[in-house]
Amino acid sequence: MPLALTLLAVPVVALLAAVWLPFVNGPQLWLGLPSLLVWSVGWVLTLTPALACVERCRLKTAAALTGEER
């Protein structure tokens, strides 16, 4: 479970730090869109698999504690 939470922390920290990163929070465009928008969308898309990993690890741990098999 600690590995899953560490993987979850990476996109969360990247999203929270976006406003302080000068290469993200600037007047430039990435792929024709504002860089902050592209940065946020990219990290939100990586957040979904990280949350799925946390949920799978949580279910696996709960099943092991109750003696169930999945």
Side-chain angles (χ1 to χ4, degrees):
M1 187 76 160
L3 176 63
L5 292 176
T6 304
L7 289 175
L8 179 62
V10 172
V12 170
V13 169
L15 283 168
L16 292 174
V19 293
W20 292 290
L21 296 172
F23 65 91
V24 174
N25 194 10
Q28 65 272 15
L29 297 176
W30 293 354
L31 305 172
L33 297 169
S35 58
L36 189 59
L37 177 68
V38 175
W39 180 268
S40 298
V41 168
W43 283 109
V44 166
L45 290 175
T46 60
L47 188 63
T48 304
L51 286 171
C53 179
V54 169
E55 185 65 16
R56 286 186 181 189
C57 290
R58 187 186 65 82
L59 290 175
K60 187 187 294 185
T61 303
L65 290 175
T66 59
E68 297 177 7
E69 288 191 28
R70 290 192 174 243

Short mmCIF file of all heavy atoms in Angstrom, two decimals:
data_model
loop_
_atom_site.label_atom_id
_atom_site.label_comp_id
_atom_site.label_asym_id
_atom_site.label_seq_id
_atom_site.Cartn_x
_atom_site.Cartn_y
_atom_site.Cartn_z
N MET A 1 0.81 -1.20 0.00
CA MET A 1 0.00 0.00 0.00
C MET A 1 0.85 1.27 0.00
O MET A 1 0.47 2.23 -0.65
CB MET A 1 -0.95 -0.06 1.21
CG MET A 1 -1.94 1.03 1.23
SD MET A 1 -3.25 0.76 0.06
CE MET A 1 -4.48 1.81 0.74
N PRO A 2 2.00 1.32 0.70
CA PRO A 2 2.81 2.55 0.65
C PRO A 2 3.30 2.88 -0.76
O PRO A 2 3.39 4.06 -1.11
CB PRO A 2 3.98 2.26 1.57
CG PRO A 2 3.49 1.21 2.50
CD PRO A 2 2.53 0.38 1.69
N LEU A 3 3.59 1.87 -1.57
CA LEU A 3 4.01 2.14 -2.95
C LEU A 3 2.87 2.78 -3.74
O LEU A 3 3.08 3.73 -4.49
CB LEU A 3 4.47 0.85 -3.63
CG LEU A 3 4.83 0.99 -5.11
CD1 LEU A 3 6.02 1.92 -5.28
CD2 LEU A 3 5.10 -0.36 -5.72
N ALA A 4 1.67 2.29 -3.55
CA ALA A 4 0.52 2.84 -4.26
C ALA A 4 0.28 4.29 -3.84
O ALA A 4 -0.03 5.14 -4.67
CB ALA A 4 -0.72 2.00 -3.98
N LEU A 5 0.42 4.58 -2.56
CA LEU A 5 0.23 5.96 -2.10
C LEU A 5 1.34 6.87 -2.60
O LEU A 5 1.10 8.05 -2.89
CB LEU A 5 0.15 5.99 -0.58
CG LEU A 5 -1.10 5.33 0.01
CD1 LEU A 5 -1.03 5.34 1.53
CD2 LEU A 5 -2.36 5.98 -0.48
N THR A 6 2.54 6.35 -2.74
CA THR A 6 3.64 7.13 -3.31
C THR A 6 3.37 7.44 -4.77
O THR A 6 3.60 8.57 -5.23
CB THR A 6 4.97 6.37 -3.16
OG1 THR A 6 5.17 6.06 -1.78
CG2 THR A 6 6.13 7.19 -3.67
N LEU A 7 2.88 6.44 -5.51
CA LEU A 7 2.52 6.68 -6.90
C LEU A 7 1.39 7.70 -7.03
O LEU A 7 1.35 8.48 -7.98
CB LEU A 7 2.10 5.37 -7.57
CG LEU A 7 3.22 4.37 -7.83
CD1 LEU A 7 2.63 3.07 -8.38
CD2 LEU A 7 4.25 4.93 -8.78
N LEU A 8 0.49 7.70 -6.08
CA LEU A 8 -0.60 8.67 -6.08
C LEU A 8 -0.09 10.08 -5.75
O LEU A 8 -0.61 11.07 -6.27
CB LEU A 8 -1.68 8.26 -5.08
CG LEU A 8 -2.88 9.17 -4.94
CD1 LEU A 8 -3.64 9.23 -6.26
CD2 LEU A 8 -3.77 8.69 -3.82
N ALA A 9 0.94 10.17 -4.94
CA ALA A 9 1.45 11.48 -4.52
C ALA A 9 2.11 12.25 -5.67
O ALA A 9 2.09 13.48 -5.67
CB ALA A 9 2.44 11.31 -3.38
N VAL A 10 2.67 11.54 -6.64
CA VAL A 10 3.38 12.21 -7.74
C VAL A 10 2.45 13.12 -8.55
O VAL A 10 2.74 14.31 -8.69
CB VAL A 10 4.10 11.18 -8.64
CG1 VAL A 10 4.67 11.84 -9.87
CG2 VAL A 10 5.19 10.47 -7.85
N PRO A 11 1.31 12.63 -9.07
CA PRO A 11 0.44 13.55 -9.81
C PRO A 11 -0.20 14.62 -8.93
O PRO A 11 -0.43 15.75 -9.38
CB PRO A 11 -0.62 12.66 -10.44
CG PRO A 11 -0.43 11.32 -9.90
CD PRO A 11 0.85 11.26 -9.18
N VAL A 12 -0.46 14.30 -7.68
CA VAL A 12 -1.06 15.29 -6.79
C VAL A 12 -0.09 16.44 -6.55
O VAL A 12 -0.47 17.62 -6.64
CB VAL A 12 -1.49 14.63 -5.45
CG1 VAL A 12 -1.88 15.66 -4.43
CG2 VAL A 12 -2.64 13.66 -5.69
N VAL A 13 1.16 16.13 -6.29
CA VAL A 13 2.17 17.17 -6.09
C VAL A 13 2.39 17.98 -7.37
O VAL A 13 2.53 19.20 -7.33
CB VAL A 13 3.50 16.56 -5.58
CG1 VAL A 13 4.62 17.56 -5.61
CG2 VAL A 13 3.31 16.02 -4.18
N ALA A 14 2.39 17.31 -8.50
CA ALA A 14 2.56 18.01 -9.78
C ALA A 14 1.42 18.98 -10.04
O ALA A 14 1.63 20.09 -10.53
CB ALA A 14 2.67 17.00 -10.92
N LEU A 15 0.20 18.58 -9.70
CA LEU A 15 -0.95 19.47 -9.89
C LEU A 15 -0.89 20.65 -8.93
O LEU A 15 -1.20 21.78 -9.31
CB LEU A 15 -2.25 18.69 -9.70
CG LEU A 15 -2.66 17.82 -10.87
CD1 LEU A 15 -3.79 16.88 -10.47
CD2 LEU A 15 -3.08 18.67 -12.04
N LEU A 16 -0.53 20.39 -7.69
CA LEU A 16 -0.46 21.48 -6.71
C LEU A 16 0.68 22.45 -6.99
O LEU A 16 0.57 23.64 -6.72
CB LEU A 16 -0.33 20.91 -5.30
CG LEU A 16 -1.55 20.17 -4.77
CD1 LEU A 16 -1.24 19.53 -3.43
CD2 LEU A 16 -2.73 21.09 -4.66
N ALA A 17 1.78 21.95 -7.56
CA ALA A 17 2.94 22.79 -7.83
C ALA A 17 2.85 23.53 -9.15
O ALA A 17 3.71 24.37 -9.44
CB ALA A 17 4.21 21.93 -7.82
N ALA A 18 1.84 23.27 -9.93
CA ALA A 18 1.75 23.84 -11.28
C ALA A 18 1.78 25.36 -11.28
O ALA A 18 2.38 25.97 -12.16
CB ALA A 18 0.49 23.34 -11.98
N VAL A 19 1.14 25.99 -10.31
CA VAL A 19 1.08 27.46 -10.32
C VAL A 19 2.41 28.11 -9.96
O VAL A 19 2.62 29.28 -10.24
CB VAL A 19 -0.04 27.98 -9.40
CG1 VAL A 19 -1.40 27.58 -9.93
CG2 VAL A 19 0.16 27.48 -7.99
N TRP A 20 3.30 27.35 -9.35
CA TRP A 20 4.61 27.90 -8.98
C TRP A 20 5.73 27.53 -9.94
O TRP A 20 6.85 28.00 -9.78
CB TRP A 20 4.99 27.45 -7.56
CG TRP A 20 4.10 28.07 -6.53
CD1 TRP A 20 4.07 29.38 -6.16
CD2 TRP A 20 3.10 27.41 -5.78
NE1 TRP A 20 3.11 29.56 -5.21
CE2 TRP A 20 2.49 28.37 -4.95
CE3 TRP A 20 2.65 26.10 -5.70
CZ2 TRP A 20 1.47 28.07 -4.07
CZ3 TRP A 20 1.62 25.79 -4.82
CH2 TRP A 20 1.06 26.77 -4.02
N LEU A 21 5.45 26.69 -10.91
CA LEU A 21 6.48 26.30 -11.87
C LEU A 21 6.48 27.29 -13.02
O LEU A 21 5.48 27.42 -13.74
CB LEU A 21 6.20 24.88 -12.39
CG LEU A 21 6.27 23.77 -11.36
CD1 LEU A 21 5.79 22.46 -11.95
CD2 LEU A 21 7.67 23.63 -10.81
N PRO A 22 7.58 27.99 -13.23
CA PRO A 22 7.59 29.05 -14.25
C PRO A 22 7.44 28.53 -15.68
O PRO A 22 6.90 29.23 -16.52
CB PRO A 22 8.94 29.73 -14.05
CG PRO A 22 9.76 28.79 -13.28
CD PRO A 22 8.83 27.92 -12.50
N PHE A 23 7.89 27.31 -15.97
CA PHE A 23 7.75 26.80 -17.33
C PHE A 23 6.33 26.33 -17.61
O PHE A 23 5.97 26.11 -18.76
CB PHE A 23 8.75 25.67 -17.61
CG PHE A 23 8.54 24.43 -16.78
CD1 PHE A 23 7.74 23.41 -17.24
CD2 PHE A 23 9.17 24.30 -15.56
CE1 PHE A 23 7.55 22.27 -16.48
CE2 PHE A 23 8.99 23.16 -14.80
CZ PHE A 23 8.18 22.14 -15.26
N VAL A 24 5.50 26.20 -16.57
CA VAL A 24 4.11 25.82 -16.75
C VAL A 24 3.20 27.04 -16.69
O VAL A 24 2.33 27.22 -17.52
CB VAL A 24 3.68 24.79 -15.68
CG1 VAL A 24 2.20 24.49 -15.78
CG2 VAL A 24 4.48 23.52 -15.81
N ASN A 25 3.42 27.86 -15.71
CA ASN A 25 2.56 29.02 -15.48
C ASN A 25 3.15 30.24 -16.17
O ASN A 25 3.67 31.15 -15.55
CB ASN A 25 2.39 29.26 -13.99
CG ASN A 25 1.27 30.21 -13.68
OD1 ASN A 25 0.50 30.55 -14.55
ND2 ASN A 25 1.19 30.63 -12.44
N GLY A 26 3.07 30.24 -17.47
CA GLY A 26 3.62 31.34 -18.26
C GLY A 26 2.75 31.62 -19.47
O GLY A 26 1.71 30.99 -19.68
N PRO A 27 3.16 32.56 -20.29
CA PRO A 27 2.34 32.95 -21.44
C PRO A 27 2.50 32.04 -22.66
O PRO A 27 1.88 32.28 -23.69
CB PRO A 27 2.85 34.35 -21.76
CG PRO A 27 4.28 34.32 -21.33
CD PRO A 27 4.31 33.44 -20.12
N GLN A 28 3.30 31.00 -22.59
CA GLN A 28 3.56 30.15 -23.75
C GLN A 28 2.41 29.18 -24.02
O GLN A 28 1.60 28.91 -23.15
CB GLN A 28 4.88 29.37 -23.58
CG GLN A 28 4.88 28.38 -22.45
CD GLN A 28 5.29 28.95 -21.12
OE1 GLN A 28 5.32 30.14 -20.92
NE2 GLN A 28 5.61 28.08 -20.19
N LEU A 29 2.38 28.69 -25.24
CA LEU A 29 1.38 27.71 -25.65
C LEU A 29 2.05 26.36 -25.88
O LEU A 29 3.15 26.28 -26.42
CB LEU A 29 0.69 28.15 -26.93
CG LEU A 29 -0.11 29.45 -26.88
CD1 LEU A 29 -0.65 29.77 -28.27
CD2 LEU A 29 -1.23 29.35 -25.88
N TRP A 30 1.40 25.31 -25.48
CA TRP A 30 1.83 23.94 -25.76
C TRP A 30 0.71 23.32 -26.59
O TRP A 30 -0.43 23.25 -26.16
CB TRP A 30 2.02 23.13 -24.49
CG TRP A 30 3.14 23.56 -23.60
CD1 TRP A 30 4.08 24.51 -23.85
CD2 TRP A 30 3.42 23.06 -22.30
NE1 TRP A 30 4.93 24.63 -22.79
CE2 TRP A 30 4.56 23.74 -21.82
CE3 TRP A 30 2.85 22.10 -21.49
CZ2 TRP A 30 5.11 23.50 -20.58
CZ3 TRP A 30 3.40 21.86 -20.25
CH2 TRP A 30 4.53 22.54 -19.80
N LEU A 31 1.05 22.84 -27.77
CA LEU A 31 0.08 22.22 -28.67
C LEU A 31 -1.09 23.15 -28.97
O LEU A 31 -2.22 22.72 -29.16
CB LEU A 31 -0.44 20.91 -28.09
CG LEU A 31 0.62 19.86 -27.68
CD1 LEU A 31 -0.03 18.72 -26.96
CD2 LEU A 31 1.38 19.39 -28.90
N GLY A 32 -0.82 24.44 -28.97
CA GLY A 32 -1.84 25.44 -29.27
C GLY A 32 -2.75 25.77 -28.10
O GLY A 32 -3.71 26.52 -28.27
N LEU A 33 -2.49 25.22 -26.94
CA LEU A 33 -3.29 25.46 -25.75
C LEU A 33 -2.40 26.08 -24.67
O LEU A 33 -1.19 25.89 -24.68
CB LEU A 33 -3.89 24.15 -25.23
CG LEU A 33 -4.86 23.45 -26.16
CD1 LEU A 33 -5.16 22.06 -25.65
CD2 LEU A 33 -6.14 24.25 -26.27
N PRO A 34 -2.99 26.79 -23.71
CA PRO A 34 -2.18 27.32 -22.62
C PRO A 34 -1.46 26.20 -21.87
O PRO A 34 -2.01 25.13 -21.64
CB PRO A 34 -3.21 28.00 -21.71
CG PRO A 34 -4.38 28.28 -22.58
CD PRO A 34 -4.39 27.19 -23.61
N SER A 35 -0.21 26.46 -21.51
CA SER A 35 0.62 25.42 -20.91
C SER A 35 0.03 24.90 -19.60
O SER A 35 0.13 23.70 -19.31
CB SER A 35 2.03 25.93 -20.69
OG SER A 35 2.01 27.09 -19.87
N LEU A 36 -0.58 25.76 -18.81
CA LEU A 36 -1.17 25.32 -17.55
C LEU A 36 -2.32 24.34 -17.79
O LEU A 36 -2.48 23.37 -17.05
CB LEU A 36 -1.66 26.52 -16.73
CG LEU A 36 -2.11 26.25 -15.31
CD1 LEU A 36 -0.98 25.63 -14.50
CD2 LEU A 36 -2.58 27.52 -14.65
N LEU A 37 -3.08 24.55 -18.85
CA LEU A 37 -4.18 23.64 -19.19
C LEU A 37 -3.64 22.27 -19.62
O LEU A 37 -4.12 21.23 -19.15
CB LEU A 37 -5.04 24.23 -20.31
CG LEU A 37 -6.17 23.35 -20.81
CD1 LEU A 37 -7.24 23.19 -19.75
CD2 LEU A 37 -6.75 23.92 -22.07
N VAL A 38 -2.62 22.27 -20.46
CA VAL A 38 -2.04 21.00 -20.92
C VAL A 38 -1.42 20.25 -19.75
O VAL A 38 -1.59 19.02 -19.61
CB VAL A 38 -1.00 21.25 -22.03
CG1 VAL A 38 -0.31 19.97 -22.44
CG2 VAL A 38 -1.66 21.91 -23.24
N TRP A 39 -0.70 20.95 -18.89
CA TRP A 39 -0.08 20.35 -17.70
C TRP A 39 -1.15 19.72 -16.81
O TRP A 39 -1.01 18.58 -16.37
CB TRP A 39 0.70 21.42 -16.95
CG TRP A 39 1.39 20.97 -15.72
CD1 TRP A 39 0.90 20.98 -14.46
CD2 TRP A 39 2.72 20.43 -15.61
NE1 TRP A 39 1.83 20.50 -13.57
CE2 TRP A 39 2.95 20.16 -14.26
CE3 TRP A 39 3.72 20.18 -16.54
CZ2 TRP A 39 4.16 19.64 -13.81
CZ3 TRP A 39 4.92 19.65 -16.08
CH2 TRP A 39 5.13 19.39 -14.73
N SER A 40 -2.20 20.45 -16.54
CA SER A 40 -3.25 19.96 -15.64
C SER A 40 -3.98 18.75 -16.24
O SER A 40 -4.22 17.76 -15.54
CB SER A 40 -4.26 21.07 -15.35
OG SER A 40 -3.63 22.14 -14.69
N VAL A 41 -4.32 18.83 -17.50
CA VAL A 41 -5.02 17.71 -18.14
C VAL A 41 -4.13 16.46 -18.17
O VAL A 41 -4.59 15.35 -17.89
CB VAL A 41 -5.49 18.09 -19.56
CG1 VAL A 41 -5.94 16.88 -20.36
CG2 VAL A 41 -6.60 19.12 -19.48
N GLY A 42 -2.86 16.65 -18.47
CA GLY A 42 -1.94 15.51 -18.49
C GLY A 42 -1.82 14.83 -17.14
O GLY A 42 -1.86 13.60 -17.05
N TRP A 43 -1.71 15.61 -16.09
CA TRP A 43 -1.58 15.02 -14.76
C TRP A 43 -2.90 14.46 -14.25
O TRP A 43 -2.91 13.48 -13.49
CB TRP A 43 -0.97 16.00 -13.78
CG TRP A 43 0.50 16.11 -13.97
CD1 TRP A 43 1.17 17.17 -14.49
CD2 TRP A 43 1.48 15.11 -13.70
NE1 TRP A 43 2.52 16.88 -14.56
CE2 TRP A 43 2.74 15.63 -14.07
CE3 TRP A 43 1.44 13.82 -13.18
CZ2 TRP A 43 3.92 14.91 -13.92
CZ3 TRP A 43 2.62 13.11 -13.04
CH2 TRP A 43 3.84 13.65 -13.41
N VAL A 44 -4.02 15.04 -14.64
CA VAL A 44 -5.31 14.45 -14.27
C VAL A 44 -5.48 13.10 -14.95
O VAL A 44 -6.01 12.15 -14.34
CB VAL A 44 -6.47 15.41 -14.61
CG1 VAL A 44 -7.80 14.71 -14.56
CG2 VAL A 44 -6.46 16.60 -13.66
N LEU A 45 -5.02 12.98 -16.19
CA LEU A 45 -5.09 11.68 -16.88
C LEU A 45 -4.18 10.64 -16.23
O LEU A 45 -4.48 9.45 -16.29
CB LEU A 45 -4.75 11.85 -18.36
CG LEU A 45 -5.79 12.60 -19.18
CD1 LEU A 45 -5.28 12.80 -20.61
CD2 LEU A 45 -7.12 11.89 -19.18
N THR A 46 -3.08 11.04 -15.62
CA THR A 46 -2.23 10.08 -14.90
C THR A 46 -2.75 9.82 -13.49
O THR A 46 -2.40 8.81 -12.89
CB THR A 46 -0.78 10.56 -14.81
OG1 THR A 46 -0.73 11.80 -14.13
CG2 THR A 46 -0.17 10.71 -16.18
N LEU A 47 -3.58 10.70 -13.00
CA LEU A 47 -4.16 10.51 -11.67
C LEU A 47 -5.14 9.34 -11.65
O LEU A 47 -5.23 8.61 -10.66
CB LEU A 47 -4.85 11.80 -11.22
CG LEU A 47 -5.36 11.89 -9.81
CD1 LEU A 47 -4.20 11.79 -8.84
CD2 LEU A 47 -6.08 13.20 -9.61
N THR A 48 -5.85 9.12 -12.73
CA THR A 48 -6.84 8.05 -12.79
C THR A 48 -6.22 6.66 -12.61
O THR A 48 -6.70 5.89 -11.77
CB THR A 48 -7.62 8.14 -14.11
OG1 THR A 48 -8.19 9.43 -14.22
CG2 THR A 48 -8.71 7.09 -14.18
N PRO A 49 -5.15 6.30 -13.32
CA PRO A 49 -4.54 4.99 -13.05
C PRO A 49 -3.92 4.89 -11.65
O PRO A 49 -3.92 3.82 -11.05
CB PRO A 49 -3.45 4.85 -14.12
CG PRO A 49 -3.77 5.84 -15.15
CD PRO A 49 -4.56 6.92 -14.50
N ALA A 50 -3.42 6.01 -11.13
CA ALA A 50 -2.86 5.98 -9.78
C ALA A 50 -3.95 5.69 -8.75
O ALA A 50 -3.74 4.91 -7.81
CB ALA A 50 -2.17 7.31 -9.47
N LEU A 51 -5.11 6.29 -8.91
CA LEU A 51 -6.23 6.01 -8.01
C LEU A 51 -6.71 4.57 -8.16
O LEU A 51 -7.07 3.92 -7.17
CB LEU A 51 -7.37 6.97 -8.28
CG LEU A 51 -7.18 8.39 -7.78
CD1 LEU A 51 -8.28 9.29 -8.30
CD2 LEU A 51 -7.12 8.43 -6.28
N ALA A 52 -6.70 4.04 -9.37
CA ALA A 52 -7.07 2.64 -9.59
C ALA A 52 -6.09 1.71 -8.89
O ALA A 52 -6.50 0.70 -8.30
CB ALA A 52 -7.13 2.34 -11.08
N CYS A 53 -4.81 2.04 -8.92
CA CYS A 53 -3.79 1.22 -8.24
C CYS A 53 -4.01 1.24 -6.73
O CYS A 53 -3.92 0.20 -6.08
CB CYS A 53 -2.41 1.75 -8.60
SG CYS A 53 -1.07 0.86 -7.82
N VAL A 54 -4.30 2.39 -6.18
CA VAL A 54 -4.58 2.49 -4.74
C VAL A 54 -5.79 1.65 -4.37
O VAL A 54 -5.79 0.92 -3.38
CB VAL A 54 -4.79 3.96 -4.32
CG1 VAL A 54 -5.34 4.07 -2.92
CG2 VAL A 54 -3.50 4.73 -4.44
N GLU A 55 -6.84 1.72 -5.18
CA GLU A 55 -8.06 0.96 -4.90
C GLU A 55 -7.81 -0.54 -5.00
O GLU A 55 -8.28 -1.32 -4.16
CB GLU A 55 -9.16 1.38 -5.86
CG GLU A 55 -10.49 0.75 -5.59
CD GLU A 55 -11.10 1.15 -4.26
OE1 GLU A 55 -10.67 2.14 -3.66
OE2 GLU A 55 -12.04 0.45 -3.82
N ARG A 56 -7.07 -0.98 -6.01
CA ARG A 56 -6.77 -2.42 -6.13
C ARG A 56 -5.93 -2.92 -4.97
O ARG A 56 -6.17 -4.00 -4.45
CB ARG A 56 -6.07 -2.71 -7.45
CG ARG A 56 -7.00 -2.64 -8.61
CD ARG A 56 -6.33 -3.07 -9.88
NE ARG A 56 -7.27 -2.98 -10.99
CZ ARG A 56 -7.04 -3.43 -12.18
NH1 ARG A 56 -5.89 -4.02 -12.44
NH2 ARG A 56 -7.94 -3.32 -13.13
N CYS A 57 -4.95 -2.12 -4.55
CA CYS A 57 -4.13 -2.52 -3.40
C CYS A 57 -4.96 -2.56 -2.13
O CYS A 57 -4.78 -3.44 -1.29
CB CYS A 57 -2.96 -1.57 -3.23
SG CYS A 57 -1.73 -1.71 -4.53
N ARG A 58 -5.90 -1.62 -1.99
CA ARG A 58 -6.76 -1.59 -0.81
C ARG A 58 -7.65 -2.82 -0.78
O ARG A 58 -7.81 -3.46 0.26
CB ARG A 58 -7.61 -0.33 -0.80
CG ARG A 58 -8.42 -0.14 0.46
CD ARG A 58 -9.35 1.04 0.36
NE ARG A 58 -10.38 0.83 -0.64
CZ ARG A 58 -11.50 0.14 -0.43
NH1 ARG A 58 -11.72 -0.43 0.73
NH2 ARG A 58 -12.40 0.01 -1.38
N LEU A 59 -8.23 -3.17 -1.92
CA LEU A 59 -9.09 -4.36 -1.98
C LEU A 59 -8.31 -5.64 -1.74
O LEU A 59 -8.80 -6.56 -1.09
CB LEU A 59 -9.81 -4.41 -3.32
CG LEU A 59 -10.89 -3.36 -3.55
CD1 LEU A 59 -11.44 -3.46 -4.96
CD2 LEU A 59 -11.99 -3.48 -2.53
N LYS A 60 -7.09 -5.70 -2.27
CA LYS A 60 -6.25 -6.88 -2.07
C LYS A 60 -5.89 -7.03 -0.60
O LYS A 60 -5.93 -8.14 -0.05
CB LYS A 60 -4.98 -6.77 -2.92
CG LYS A 60 -4.15 -8.04 -2.88
CD LYS A 60 -2.83 -7.87 -3.58
CE LYS A 60 -2.99 -7.65 -5.07
NZ LYS A 60 -1.70 -7.60 -5.78
N THR A 61 -5.56 -5.94 0.06
CA THR A 61 -5.23 -5.98 1.48
C THR A 61 -6.43 -6.38 2.31
O THR A 61 -6.33 -7.18 3.23
CB THR A 61 -4.69 -4.60 1.93
OG1 THR A 61 -3.58 -4.26 1.14
CG2 THR A 61 -4.29 -4.63 3.38
N ALA A 62 -7.60 -5.81 1.99
CA ALA A 62 -8.81 -6.15 2.73
C ALA A 62 -9.16 -7.63 2.53
O ALA A 62 -9.59 -8.30 3.49
CB ALA A 62 -9.95 -5.26 2.28
N ALA A 63 -9.00 -8.14 1.35
CA ALA A 63 -9.31 -9.55 1.09
C ALA A 63 -8.34 -10.45 1.83
O ALA A 63 -8.73 -11.50 2.34
CB ALA A 63 -9.26 -9.83 -0.41
N ALA A 64 -7.08 -10.06 1.92
CA ALA A 64 -6.10 -10.87 2.63
C ALA A 64 -6.39 -10.88 4.12
O ALA A 64 -6.19 -11.90 4.79
CB ALA A 64 -4.69 -10.34 2.36
N LEU A 65 -6.86 -9.77 4.65
CA LEU A 65 -7.16 -9.70 6.08
C LEU A 65 -8.40 -10.50 6.45
O LEU A 65 -8.47 -11.05 7.55
CB LEU A 65 -7.33 -8.24 6.52
CG LEU A 65 -6.06 -7.39 6.52
CD1 LEU A 65 -6.39 -5.94 6.86
CD2 LEU A 65 -5.05 -7.94 7.51
N THR A 66 -9.36 -10.57 5.57
CA THR A 66 -10.60 -11.31 5.86
C THR A 66 -10.51 -12.77 5.42
O THR A 66 -11.40 -13.56 5.73
CB THR A 66 -11.80 -10.65 5.18
OG1 THR A 66 -11.59 -10.62 3.78
CG2 THR A 66 -12.01 -9.24 5.70
N GLY A 67 -9.48 -13.13 4.68
CA GLY A 67 -9.32 -14.50 4.23
C GLY A 67 -10.04 -14.83 2.96
O GLY A 67 -10.11 -15.98 2.56
N GLU A 68 -10.58 -13.83 2.27
CA GLU A 68 -11.26 -14.06 1.00
C GLU A 68 -10.25 -14.09 -0.13
O GLU A 68 -9.19 -13.52 -0.04
CB GLU A 68 -12.27 -12.93 0.74
CG GLU A 68 -13.38 -12.84 1.73
CD GLU A 68 -14.29 -11.67 1.46
OE1 GLU A 68 -14.11 -11.01 0.40
OE2 GLU A 68 -15.16 -11.40 2.29
N GLU A 69 -10.64 -14.76 -1.21
CA GLU A 69 -9.80 -14.74 -2.40
C GLU A 69 -10.53 -14.00 -3.50
O GLU A 69 -11.73 -14.14 -3.66
CB GLU A 69 -9.48 -16.16 -2.86
CG GLU A 69 -8.52 -16.85 -1.95
CD GLU A 69 -8.02 -18.15 -2.56
OE1 GLU A 69 -7.98 -18.22 -3.81
OE2 GLU A 69 -7.67 -19.04 -1.82
N ARG A 70 -9.79 -13.23 -4.29
CA ARG A 70 -10.38 -12.48 -5.40
C ARG A 70 -9.74 -12.91 -6.68
O ARG A 70 -8.65 -13.18 -6.83
CB ARG A 70 -10.21 -10.98 -5.21
CG ARG A 70 -11.08 -10.52 -4.10
CD ARG A 70 -11.14 -9.01 -4.11
NE ARG A 70 -12.09 -8.62 -3.10
CZ ARG A 70 -13.21 -7.99 -3.36
NH1 ARG A 70 -13.52 -7.64 -4.56
NH2 ARG A 70 -14.04 -7.67 -2.41
#
